[in-house]
Amino acid sequence: MKNFKKQVDIVYLWVNSNDKYWQKKRRESFEVFLKKNREDIAPFANTDGRFRDNGELTFNLRSLEKFFPDHGHVYIVTDEQKPKWLKSSNKVTIIDHQDIIPKKNNPIFASSHIETYIHHIPNLTEKFIYLNDDVFFGAPVDIDWWFKDKLKYFLSKKTHKSYTEMQPNKLSPINGSILSSRWLNQKYPNYIHQNKIMAHSPKAFLKTLLFKAEEAAKDLFINARSVNFRKWSSPGIIVDFVPRWLEYNKFAEIIEIDELYIESGSLDLEIQLDLLSKKFNKIPFFCINDTCDNADSEDKRLKLVRKNLQKLLPYKSSFEI
């Protein structure tokens, strides 16, 4: 019998944007948010693409089973929802926001807020991997590669200017890097920041180290948890600051990688998806990001993404009804 305590759990964030009740909550919550935060809202913070379910989680679990069959328990963090196609089993648990977020008075639509609580999931293993549902494993997973000696994180090759302040017109990956630079340079005079954004990748964590990061940077966690929609002044810290803090404290290493990052709204989407087909089974991970438009679910680009994922991952996982 396997020792499940030594396994590596998997945590996903997921939302069903087609849910009418959820849509009503989003609409009403955004109206309230705008009254106080109109000047502070981040670019694309409330576009449909930020929340759209294009079937990514279905294919992500297929990818997980194909490339990491020895994974531990799967936790899906969501807001009063459950995928209709998800089979009830002892391998997966739905975690409602209220299960891990204390005093949740308003619905939360900022993943940067929600993900600051993932290490609070009950019974989560010490080692776990966090993924957004649009970040996929792309080759067999060697768990030692992710965890042995030091945790492994990745920088994109995309650089940005050396800003001293966060920028209202920049996306979260850049403002997250700026925020990390300011905080770490102030805390550690010998810290050297790389002005590159973190790659869209699976994030390997040790639960105890995330609690240490939360204790060390209480101000950043409070800031990230202060909004229910994205604000440019409250960028994500779990995907940028925490890896850089862990590296500085010698718990992790950050490697530059030529990531395969695909945007569903890109003009060269077909070329990018063709490249994915050629690299599939050979690259450790890839991302199909879908955040910057209000396209209908029947948009030909979204259909093309689904078609290509179905071609790469045609077989149902054990998670599907």
Side-chain angles (χ1 to χ4, degrees):
M1 185 175 179
K2 293 179 180 178
N3 183 350
F4 289 100
K5 290 186 181 298
K6 291 186 177 180
Q7 287 190 298
V8 177
D9 286 350
I10 305 294
V11 177
Y12 290 101
L13 263 56
W14 174 81
V15 62
N16 173 16
S17 60
N18 300 312
D19 176 1
K20 299 298 183 184
Y21 173 61
W22 178 89
Q23 290 175 1
K24 182 174 181 288
K25 286 197 296 185
R26 173 188 163 192
R27 186 170 57 252
E28 292 175 351
S29 297
F30 191 63
E31 288 175 0
V32 174
F33 177 82
L34 277 183
K35 290 179 180 178
K36 293 183 178 180
N37 302 284
R38 189 175 294 274
E39 301 301 319
D40 299 320
I41 189 166
F44 309 111
N46 195 40
T47 56
D48 290 344
R50 180 66 69 190
F51 312 103
R52 184 187 293 122
D53 179 15
N54 195 34
E56 292 93 347
L57 183 60
T58 307
F59 293 110
N60 209 310
L61 286 167
R62 292 183 186 184
S63 172
L64 178 68
E65 237 174 38
K66 176 181 177 68
F67 293 127
F68 188 20
D70 293 329
H71 63 81
H73 200 78
V74 172
Y75 295 94
I76 301 173
V77 180
T78 187
D79 180 17
E80 298 183 288
Q81 295 180 325
K82 178 183 177 182
K84 292 180 179 179
W85 48 264
L86 185 69
K87 182 190 296 183
S88 296
S89 76
N90 60 4
K91 299 192 302 181
V92 60
T93 298
I94 298 292
I95 299 293
D96 193 80
H97 291 178
Q98 65 184 359
D99 296 334
I100 55 175
I101 302 177
K103 299 179 181 178
K104 189 176 85 68
N105 298 319
N106 299 309
I108 300 170
F109 301 89
S111 59
S112 54
H113 180 157
I114 301 162
E115 64 193 11
T116 64
Y117 286 102
I118 54 175
H119 52 302
H120 292 252
I121 292 174
N123 303 314
L124 184 68
T125 49
E126 168 67 1
K127 294 179 181 178
F128 71 96
I129 295 177
Y130 163 57
L131 305 100
N132 287 116
D133 62 0
D134 60 0
V135 173
F136 302 76
F137 288 118
V141 174
D142 178 359
I143 212 63
D144 283 343
W145 185 70
W146 290 91
F147 285 95
K148 192 173 182 180
D149 299 325
K150 291 183 177 181
L151 299 171
K152 195 172 267 77
Y153 300 103
F154 305 92
L155 280 174
S156 167
K157 290 188 175 181
K158 298 175 183 176
T159 60
H160 64 80
K161 294 180 181 178
S162 183
Y163 298 105
T164 56
E165 301 290 339
M166 287 181 283
Q167 304 294 303
N169 62 337
K170 298 297 183 183
L171 293 173
S172 182
I174 292 179
N175 277 326
S177 174
I178 298 168
L179 180 65
S180 297
S181 177
R182 288 179 56 191
W183 194 96
L184 290 164
N185 275 299
Q186 186 175 21
K187 180 75 171 180
Y188 311 113
N190 63 335
Y191 171 76
I192 299 174
H193 190 78
Q194 296 193 63
N195 292 323
K196 297 182 179 181
I197 66 172
M198 298 297 294
H200 291 71
S201 69
K203 297 295 189 294
F205 288 118
L206 297 183
K207 186 168 61 174
T208 52
L209 291 181
L210 263 178
F211 276 106
K212 285 185 177 181
E214 183 176 357
E215 180 65 26
K218 290 180 181 178
D219 54 331
L220 295 189
F221 277 79
I222 290 171
N223 183 49
R225 292 166 175 171
S226 67
V227 297
N228 62 333
F229 283 88
R230 292 189 182 211
K231 290 171 61 175
W232 60 266
S233 56
S234 301
I237 59 172
I238 294 299
V239 296
D240 191 289
F241 165 75
V242 170
R244 296 184 199 259
W245 179 85
L246 289 169
E247 183 188 45
Y248 179 82
N249 287 285
K250 305 189 185 311
F251 296 119
E253 60 177 335
I254 300 179
I255 302 165
E256 186 178 289
I257 193 168
D258 189 12
E259 65 172 327
L260 183 50
Y261 172 76
I262 300 170
E263 290 187 335
S264 64
S266 173
L267 294 175
D268 64 347
L269 178 60
E270 289 191 52
I271 295 173
Q272 293 182 31
L273 290 172
D274 183 59
L275 180 61
L276 171 60
S277 295
K278 292 175 181 176
K279 291 190 172 185
F280 195 65
N281 288 311
K282 303 171 187 174
I283 49 173
F285 55 83
F286 62 94
C287 175
I288 303 182
N289 198 274
D290 180 20
T291 60
C292 298
D293 61 52
N294 289 309
D296 183 83
S297 61
E298 294 303 304
D299 185 282
K300 64 180 182 180
R301 296 165 298 178
L302 299 178
K303 285 185 173 181
L304 185 62
V305 169
R306 294 195 297 269
K307 179 181 177 181
N308 277 265
L309 285 173
Q310 179 63 35
K311 189 182 299 184
L312 293 174
L313 296 159
Y315 304 112
K316 281 188 175 183
S317 71
S318 63
F319 296 97
E320 298 172 56
I321 294 173

